[in-house]
Amino acid sequence: MTFLTIGHRGVMGVEPENTLRSYLRAERSGMDVIALDVQLSKDGALVALHDPEVDRTTDGSGALADLTLAELRGLDAGQGEHVPVFEDVLDAVRTPLQVSVRDRAAVGVLAELLLRRDLTARVEVASSDDALLVEVARLVPGVRTVLQVTAPGDDAEDAVDRATAAGAATIALDIRRLTLETVESAHASGLRVTGWTVNTLDQLRLARALGLDGAATDFPEIRSTGRFTA
């Protein structure tokens, strides 16, 4: 199977994360998938931002949920970029997208958009919330989902059972927590396995040695290197 290279928030190692500039760079770099995060603004717009607050990635401050889309668009997200709405991303790039969502309120908005624009073949939904994945699959029949195992206390071995119960197609784990046993168990259950974040040649070699189906990376160079790494 093809080893997928997933651009993490675009290619956040070289461009401002979760911006159109970063997504476009990821597409030009040949990333197989672009991973991004979505949340709701105060007025219900589905925007691409990772943190609950805007402080780290923009020149603004405060909780995203307390800011309107107009206020968010007025912020500098790095190099003159602005916080994009999800539909901006859909229109800017053609690369398949992996959309990470944590907020139950955002699920309905995302589901409506996926249905309206017939995006099940292009967009997969990722979350660490098992019940959220079940809900999005109910709302959008046929959508592919990814279980993210993110909490330090989460048992990587339990991820296979959790993903299967939630109907997920893929599990995504920290590369430092992955074992060959977990990967083999997932594959035996018909699941794909991806690792994050793979930013060095040693980490890429480990990902390939573990038999992963793909890896999320911050850097475009990993894409070109990955094609030649056994």
Side-chain angles (χ1 to χ4, degrees):
M1 291 180 63
T2 302
F3 182 84
L4 297 177
T5 310
I6 304 164
H8 188 212
R9 304 177 202 167
V11 277
M12 61 178 284
V14 293
E15 300 289 0
E17 68 180 67
N18 279 333
T19 63
L20 294 183
R21 179 186 177 101
S22 191
Y23 304 139
L24 289 166
R25 177 77 174 269
E27 183 165 76
R28 289 197 306 270
S29 302
M31 293 292 174
D32 300 300
V33 179
I34 297 173
L36 64 146
D37 311 89
V38 295
Q39 300 184 65
L40 290 179
S41 66
K42 183 178 180 178
D43 48 351
L46 196 63
V47 298
L49 198 80
H50 175 268
D51 297 1
E53 297 81 26
V54 299
D55 303 55
R56 182 179 64 84
T57 57
T58 78
D59 62 351
S61 63
L64 166 65
D66 292 335
L67 299 172
T68 65
L69 177 58
E71 290 170 327
L72 288 166
R73 286 201 183 278
L75 302 179
D76 188 331
Q79 301 187 45
E81 290 290 305
H82 302 290
V83 177
V85 297
F86 182 48
E87 289 205 70
D88 290 342
V89 186
L90 290 169
D91 295 336
V93 297
R94 293 291 174 261
T95 302
L97 302 173
Q98 182 184 106
V99 181
S100 179
V101 58
R102 297 187 298 268
D103 182 2
R104 298 287 183 90
V107 170
V109 178
L110 177 61
E112 186 278 330
L113 179 59
L114 295 180
L115 291 170
R116 173 163 51 85
R117 294 190 54 163
D118 191 20
L119 295 169
T120 54
R122 182 183 171 200
V123 175
E124 62 182 3
V125 179
S127 183
S128 59
D129 185 333
D130 309 40
L132 187 151
L133 295 181
V134 172
E135 177 66 5
V136 76
R138 183 185 71 80
L139 293 171
V140 188
V143 71
R144 290 167 291 116
T145 58
V146 180
L147 175 66
Q148 298 169 322
V149 183
T150 56
D154 286 348
D155 188 337
E157 296 300 323
D158 289 343
V160 175
D161 292 336
R162 289 175 55 199
T164 301
T170 304
I171 55 174
L173 299 98
D174 187 329
I175 187 74
R176 296 168 298 180
R177 297 176 59 199
L178 270 167
T179 65
L180 184 59
E181 290 74 20
T182 298
V183 176
E184 290 177 341
S185 175
H187 285 164
S189 297
L191 298 168
R192 296 193 307 170
V193 188
T194 62
W196 48 268
T197 307
V198 174
N199 286 336
T200 68
L201 183 57
D202 283 345
Q203 289 171 333
L204 181 59
R205 289 191 181 113
L206 175 60
R208 301 305 291 265
L210 287 170
L212 298 189
D213 301 289
T217 182
D218 296 338
F219 295 100
E221 293 80 11
I222 292 295
R223 166 62 182 167
S224 56
T225 305
R227 286 179 291 178
F228 305 106
T229 302

